[in-house]
């Protein structure tokens, strides 16, 4: 589609300010309905969801040693509320993001709309991938590390036993999922920056050694102080960085091909 066609497409979607406000209100209402509907769903099944979240603990400790406590009257209730809110934010994100996109899309050129769609799909995918790494790898490692610090008790030794609180376990799980989910957005962010020309694949290659150090610093902060746990985050981050270099390179090749095609078309016009 030509630039003139893009301009006509945008002009056809122009509307008075009041219509834009009405459209914005409609989109926000739909997004809020999606959030509250998924919140109610998650709250209704909060007990079952929580039982799924403690599976990593059960894998390591064993069913007979899996015991959680709460020390305040309403602690488990508010834990369920937090769990429902976190689950609702995650499940309703595609709907909320689509409503935002539908509101913004009429003001974008066709090629800009097409460019954003892959990122809308990639964002929840990589967030889910980060959450899966936490669930399958990181939490079992943290549980194993924590259980290893217990004392059985005996002469001259107090018995020190791990009794996790329901709220603290959920807070740790949510913090790790959020941290890994955001960290796994690295390819999305770098590819988007490469697409708009802020950085290049050569820049990423040149800064690779700095990122290697940074990846291990991030891993040391977000994981328990043992080598295996740190590698569980640093390794995927390094792989994602290498994937980002490849992705930015593909974007550059595509942009170069489009620019060459436009130049060829422009040079061919006088000859017609």
């Amino acid at each position: 589609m030509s630039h003139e066609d893009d301009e006509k497409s945008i002009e056809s979607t122009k509307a008075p300010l009041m219509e834009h406000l009405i459209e914005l209100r409609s989109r926000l209402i739909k997004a809020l309905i999606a959030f509250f509907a998924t919140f109610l769903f998650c709250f209704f099944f909060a007990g079952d969801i929580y039982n799924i979240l403690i599976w990593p603990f059960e894998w390591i400790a064993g069913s007979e040693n899996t015991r959680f406590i709460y020390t305040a009257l309403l602690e488990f209730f508010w834990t369920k509320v937090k769990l429902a809110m976190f689950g609702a934010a995650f499940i309703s994100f595609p709907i909320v993001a689509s409503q935002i996109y539908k509101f913004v899309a009429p003001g974008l050129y066709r090629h800009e709309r097409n460019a954003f769609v892959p990122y809308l799909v990639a964002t929840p995918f990589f967030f889910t991938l980060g959450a899966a790494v936490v669930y399958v790898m990181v939490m079992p490692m943290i549980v194993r590390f924590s259980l290893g610090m217990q004392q059985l008790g005996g002469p001259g030794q107090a018995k020190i036993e791990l009794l996790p609180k329901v709220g603290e376990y959920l807070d740790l799980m949510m913090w790790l999922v959020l941290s890994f989910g955001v960290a796994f957005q690295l390819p999305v962010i770098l590819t988007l920056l490469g697409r708009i020309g802020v950085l290049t694949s050569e820049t990423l290659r040149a800064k690779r050694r700095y990122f290697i150090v940074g990846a291990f610093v991030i891993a040391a902060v977000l994981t328990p102080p043992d080598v295996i746990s740190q590698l569980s985050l640093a390794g995927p981050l390094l792989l994602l960085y290498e994937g980002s270099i490849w992705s930015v390179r593909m974007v550059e090749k595509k942009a170069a091909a489009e620019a060459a095609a436009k130049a060829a078309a422009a040079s061919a016009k006088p000859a017609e």
Side-chain angles (χ1 to χ4, degrees), residues 27-133:
R27 298 298 179 189
L28 288 176
I29 290 174
K30 291 178 181 178
L32 288 174
I33 289 174
F35 176 81
F36 282 113
T38 51
F39 171 82
L40 293 174
F41 174 83
C42 290
F43 185 77
F44 183 79
F45 292 101
D48 297 321
I49 297 173
Y50 194 89
N51 287 329
I52 293 174
L53 292 180
I54 65 177
W55 281 352
F57 189 96
E58 188 175 353
W59 294 337
I60 303 302
S63 301
E64 66 281 359
N65 298 318
T66 300
R67 180 186 175 194
F68 287 74
I69 64 171
Y70 59 94
T71 57
L73 292 178
L74 297 177
E75 181 179 349
F76 193 41
F77 169 78
W78 289 115
T79 298
K80 289 183 177 181
V81 171
K82 287 193 293 184
L83 176 58
M85 292 183 66
F86 188 79
F90 180 75
I91 296 173
S92 65
F93 175 80
I95 300 175
V96 174
S98 66
Q99 292 301 315
I100 296 174
Y101 174 76
K102 289 178 181 178
F103 178 74
V104 176
L108 301 175
Y109 292 117
R110 182 180 178 86
H111 69 278
E112 291 174 333
R113 293 197 296 267
N114 294 336
F116 270 99
V117 170
Y119 298 102
L120 292 177
V121 176
T123 298
F125 171 78
F126 280 102
F127 191 95
T128 304
L129 183 61
V133 170

Side-chain angles (χ1 to χ4, degrees), residues 96-175:
V96 174
S98 66
Q99 292 301 315
I100 296 174
Y101 174 76
K102 289 178 181 178
F103 178 74
V104 176
L108 301 175
Y109 292 117
R110 182 180 178 86
H111 69 278
E112 291 174 333
R113 293 197 296 267
N114 294 336
F116 270 99
V117 170
Y119 298 102
L120 292 177
V121 176
T123 298
F125 171 78
F126 280 102
F127 191 95
T128 304
L129 183 61
V133 170
V134 171
Y135 191 80
V136 176
M137 295 178 57
V138 179
M139 276 305 294
M141 291 179 182
I142 293 176
V143 172
R144 184 179 289 108
F145 177 82
S146 300
L147 289 174
M149 298 181 68
Q150 294 182 115
Q151 285 186 181
L152 298 178
Q157 264 192 349
K159 183 177 181 179
I160 300 176
E161 185 179 3
L162 174 64
L163 293 175
K165 294 181 66 178
V166 291
E168 292 178 354
Y169 182 87
L170 179 64
D171 289 342
L172 177 61
M173 177 69 81
M174 290 192 303
W175 179 68

